[in-house]
Amino acid sequence: MRVLALLDGTIVDPEAPLLRADDLGVMRGDGIFETILVVDRRPRELGPHLDRLANSARLMGIALPERAAWERAVRAVVDDWPWETDPEMALKLVCTRGVDGGDGTPTGFAMGMQVGAETLRKRNEGVSAITLERGYAPDLTERAPWLLLGAKSLSYAVNMAAMREAESRGVDEVIFTATDGSVLEGPTSNVVIAKDRVLCTTPPSSGILKGTTQGALFRAAEEHGWRTRVEKFDTADLFAADGVWLASSVRLITQVRTVDGTPVSADADLHAELCKLYESNY
Amino acid sequence: MRVLALLDGTIVDPEAPLLRADDLGVMRGDGIFETILVVDRRPRELGPHLDRLANSARLMGIALPERAAWERAVRAVVDDWPWETDPEMALKLVCTRGVDGGDGTPTGFAMGMQVGAETLRKRNEGVSAITLERGYAPDLTERAPWLLLGAKSLSYAVNMAAMREAESRGVDEVIFTATDGSVLEGPTSNVVIAKDRVLCTTPPSSGILKGTTQGALFRAAEEHGWRTRVEKFDTADLFAADGVWLASSVRLITQVRTVDGTPVSADADLHAELCKLYESNY
C-alpha cells in the first residue's frame, strides 16, 4: 500500500514513474528527505521534521519549496490513506535538487507507506546490535561542512550497507562509532542510554542527525522529572547503562538487548516507562 | 541533448519520467553508476568501466544485469546520438537496487549527454584546486567495507557539496585529503603527479575509486618508457612535482595550475606529452 502526493496536493499513481533519469536525486543522491510516523491521521513531530528538512536544505544549498507546500502534500496523503485497515503510516518527504542542467526547480513529493512487519517486530521485541566504525572523528562537522554530516541527504548507501552488514552477521541493528570510540548514531536512529534516571544522547556536533523522536522523548522526560544530557559517551557506557535504546520516527523507542553479542541491561519496566513518556506527547 | 536507452536497447524519451518515487536509487541513493566518454561513436575504456560497475555491484550486493545488456544499451545510445553535430558524448550507466519492497529487479539505464562548456574549458585551460578533508583514514577500506569506499555509488551528495565548496571559494576543483594528510582523489577524478619521468597516483586501497582514465594514461606511459607508481603521497608532493593532473573520463587529463592558491608546476610541453600518451590509446 502506497499513497503518493505531489507538492500541489495532487494524488498520483505510486506505481507510475515520477522522476526523470537525469534528476539529480537519481544521478547523484543529491537531495534530502524525512520520514514521519502518522498515527490515526495525526503526523508526529511534523514541525521538527519540517525544521530538519529546512536545515538539510540549507546545508546542501537546495531551494526548498515553501513549508505550506509540504503541509499540503502531507494532508493529501493523510486524507487518501485507508485508516480503517491501516492505523499507522510511514510518511516520506523527499526533495531532490531537480533535473541536471534544468532551471533549478527541485523535485518534491510525499509518499505514505505501510509500516513493515520487521519494523513492528523490532519495536515490540527489541533488537540485537553491533557497533561499526563510521570512520569519522566527532569534531569534523564544523570544520568540514562539505561532508554534510548534519544533513539528512538522499545519499544513504552507506547506511544501507551497514544494515546489510548487520544482517549478514545475524544482527538487527547497527550503532556507528567515531574514531575516538564514542557512540554516534544508528543508520536510521539515534542512540539513547539511561543511567540513574538520566537520559543521554550524542550531540549533533559529533556529526549526527538531530533526532526528532529522541527530542520528543527527552521533552517528555524532562517534564516528568528525568534529567537529560546531550553529550558524548563511549561504547563502554552502553554496557554500564541501565538501558540502551534506538530512537527513530517509525520504530519509535526500540530497546537494545545485546551489543556485539553481549547482553546490555534491558529492564522491561524501564522500557515501558520510556515508551509511556514518549507516547505522552500525543 | 540527451539520449536515453533501457537495458533491452529501447530508446525512450529522456524528458519523460523513468523512475518510480519508491525506487531505492531515489529514496536512498542506493545504486551505482559509471560515466564513459564516447568520441566519434567509440566508447573509451568501456571494458574497464563495465568491470568497475561490476565491482561496485559486488561491493553493494546489487544483482547487476548481465554485461550484454549494458553493451546493448550503450550501442542503442551511440546509434541514436547526433554525431554530425556533437562529436563527443558523456555516457552515463546507472543501476539502482530497484523498487523498495519489490522483487529485487534492479533499475538500469544508459543516458548520453552533451559534454558541457565548463568541462571543455577545464580540459583545455587547466584548473585551480583546493584541498579539502575527506575525514577518513586511508586504511579504512579493507577494515570497514560498509563504508563503500571503493564503490562508485549513486550516493554522491558529498562529492557535489565539495564541488560547491570549491565554487564558493572561486576555485574549479577539489583534491580530497585523508586524515594523515595524504592525497586521495577528486570528487569526480583521480590525482596524478609527475616527478622526474615517474607518474604517481593514489592506490585504491586508500579508499578511492580505481581510475579508468588514469589507468589508460599509465598503460600508455609504461609503453613509452615512463615509470609509474601507485602509492600514497602527501599534499607537499603536489608542490614538489613537475606537474599535477586530475584524470577523469570526460574531462580527461586536466592540468592543475594552483593548489590552495599556490601555483604548482604546469609545464605546457609535459602536459601535451601526457595528453598525447593518453590519446595514443585510441
Side-chain angles (χ1 to χ4, degrees):
Chain A
M1 180 63 206
R2 281 184 193 174
V3 173
L4 177 60
L6 308 183
L7 297 192
D8 64 2
T10 316
I11 294 289
V12 297
D13 179 1
E15 296 186 6
L18 183 71
L19 289 100
R20 285 171 53 152
D22 54 1
D23 193 290
L24 289 163
V26 177
M27 295 195 122
R28 301 283 193 187
D30 200 357
I32 53 180
F33 76 101
E34 286 292 324
T35 308
I36 301 165
L37 182 67
V38 187
V39 181
D40 289 331
R41 298 180 170 272
R42 284 186 296 276
R44 291 191 169 178
E45 305 302 315
L46 182 59
H49 279 292
L50 291 176
D51 290 346
R52 193 167 67 180
L53 191 70
N55 190 51
S56 297
R58 186 183 57 76
L59 289 169
M60 288 178 63
I62 290 176
L64 192 71
E66 55 171 5
R67 202 168 175 109
W70 295 102
E71 291 167 343
R72 189 160 55 224
V74 168
R75 264 200 313 279
V77 172
V78 168
D79 286 347
D80 207 60
W81 187 258
W83 293 107
E84 56 288 355
T85 54
D86 247 322
E88 283 192 75
M89 172 179 79
L91 177 60
K92 194 143 182 172
L93 308 182
V94 173
C95 184
T96 83
R97 198 180 296 277
V99 167
D100 181 37
D103 65 0
T105 306
T107 305
F109 60 86
M111 176 172 262
M113 294 178 288
Q114 280 174 310
V115 177
E118 185 65 5
T119 299
L120 292 175
R121 180 189 68 77
K122 289 180 179 181
R123 189 200 286 175
N124 295 329
E125 299 177 11
V127 295
S128 52
I130 47 170
T131 57
L132 292 181
E133 286 180 88
R134 188 64 188 80
Y136 285 127
D139 64 348
L140 262 178
T141 317
E142 285 286 315
R143 202 167 74 225
W146 52 88
L147 298 178
L148 304 176
L149 292 175
K152 196 167 171 76
S153 91
L154 294 177
S155 286
Y156 246 49
V158 166
N159 296 310
M160 297 300 100
M163 291 302 288
R164 286 195 300 278
E165 178 74 21
E167 199 180 336
S168 76
R169 300 194 201 174
V171 170
D172 296 314
E173 282 288 342
V174 170
I175 294 175
F176 281 129
T177 56
T179 47
D180 66 352
S182 66
V183 168
L184 290 174
E185 61 189 344
T188 63
S189 62
N190 293 90
V191 181
V192 172
I193 59 174
K195 178 75 176 174
D196 303 330
R197 312 291 292 176
V198 180
L199 291 180
C200 184
T201 196
T202 307
S205 59
S206 283
I208 66 156
L209 281 183
K210 190 165 157 40
T212 51
T213 304
Q214 167 271 318
L217 172 64
F218 276 37
R219 189 175 66 217
E222 288 157 15
E223 286 166 8
H224 289 80
W226 285 72
R227 282 179 296 147
T228 62
R229 288 185 190 155
V230 180
E231 61 184 35
K232 271 173 59 175
F233 58 94
D234 293 328
T235 47
D237 295 312
L238 299 171
F239 298 101
D242 299 330
V244 180
W245 292 266
L246 299 178
S248 79
S249 296
V250 180
R251 235 166 25 243
L252 303 180
I253 313 296
T254 303
Q255 192 167 36
V256 177
R257 298 191 169 279
T258 64
V259 174
D260 295 332
T262 301
V264 294
S265 290
D267 183 79
D269 291 340
L270 188 55
H271 177 61
E273 186 180 349
L274 290 199
C275 291
K276 202 174 153 188
L277 280 174
Y278 162 78
E279 288 291 338
S280 73
N281 286 294
Y282 310 105
Chain B
M1 180 62 207
R2 285 191 187 168
V3 173
L4 178 60
L6 308 184
L7 297 192
D8 64 2
T10 317
I11 295 287
V12 295
D13 179 1
E15 296 187 6
L18 182 71
L19 288 99
R20 286 172 52 153
D22 55 1
D23 192 290
L24 289 163
V26 178
M27 295 194 121
R28 301 284 191 186
D30 201 355
I32 53 181
F33 77 101
E34 286 293 325
T35 307
I36 300 165
L37 182 67
V38 187
V39 181
D40 288 329
R41 298 180 172 269
R42 285 186 295 277
R44 291 193 171 178
E45 304 301 316
L46 182 60
H49 279 292
L50 291 176
D51 290 346
R52 194 167 66 179
L53 190 70
N55 189 51
S56 297
R58 186 183 57 75
L59 289 170
M60 289 179 61
I62 289 176
L64 192 70
E66 54 170 7
R67 203 169 175 106
W70 296 102
E71 291 167 343
R72 190 160 53 223
V74 168
R75 264 199 313 277
V77 173
V78 168
D79 286 346
D80 207 58
W81 187 259
W83 293 107
E84 56 290 355
T85 54
D86 248 323
E88 282 192 73
M89 171 179 79
L91 177 61
K92 196 146 178 166
L93 308 183
V94 173
C95 184
T96 84
R97 198 181 297 277
V99 167
D100 181 37
D103 64 1
T105 306
T107 306
F109 61 86
M111 178 173 258
M113 295 178 287
Q114 279 173 312
V115 177
E118 185 65 4
T119 299
L120 292 176
R121 180 189 68 78
K122 289 181 178 180
R123 190 199 285 174
N124 295 329
E125 298 178 10
V127 294
S128 52
I130 47 170
T131 57
L132 291 181
E133 287 182 87
R134 188 65 188 78
Y136 285 126
D139 64 348
L140 262 178
T141 317
E142 284 286 314
R143 202 167 74 224
W146 53 87
L147 298 177
L148 303 177
L149 293 175
K152 196 167 172 75
S153 91
L154 293 176
S155 287
Y156 246 50
V158 165
N159 296 311
M160 298 299 100
M163 291 301 288
R164 287 194 299 279
E165 178 74 20
E167 199 180 337
S168 76
R169 300 193 199 175
V171 170
D172 296 314
E173 283 287 341
V174 171
I175 294 174
F176 281 129
T177 57
T179 49
D180 65 352
S182 66
V183 168
L184 291 173
E185 61 189 345
T188 63
S189 62
N190 292 89
V191 182
V192 173
I193 59 174
K195 178 76 177 171
D196 302 331
R197 312 289 294 177
V198 180
L199 292 181
C200 184
T201 196
T202 307
S205 59
S206 283
I208 66 156
L209 281 183
K210 190 163 156 42
T212 50
T213 304
Q214 166 271 318
L217 171 64
F218 277 37
R219 190 176 65 219
E222 288 157 15
E223 287 166 8
H224 288 79
W226 285 73
R227 281 177 297 148
T228 62
R229 287 185 191 154
V230 180
E231 62 184 33
K232 271 173 58 175
F233 59 93
D234 293 327
T235 47
D237 296 312
L238 299 172
F239 298 102
D242 299 330
V244 180
W245 291 268
L246 300 178
S248 78
S249 296
V250 181
R251 236 170 20 248
L252 303 181
I253 313 296
T254 303
Q255 192 167 36
V256 177
R257 299 190 167 280
T258 63
V259 174
D260 296 332
T262 301
V264 294
S265 291
D267 183 79
D269 291 340
L270 189 54
H271 177 61
E273 185 179 350
L274 289 200
C275 290
K276 200 174 155 190
L277 280 174
Y278 162 77
E279 289 291 339
S280 73
N281 286 293
Y282 310 106

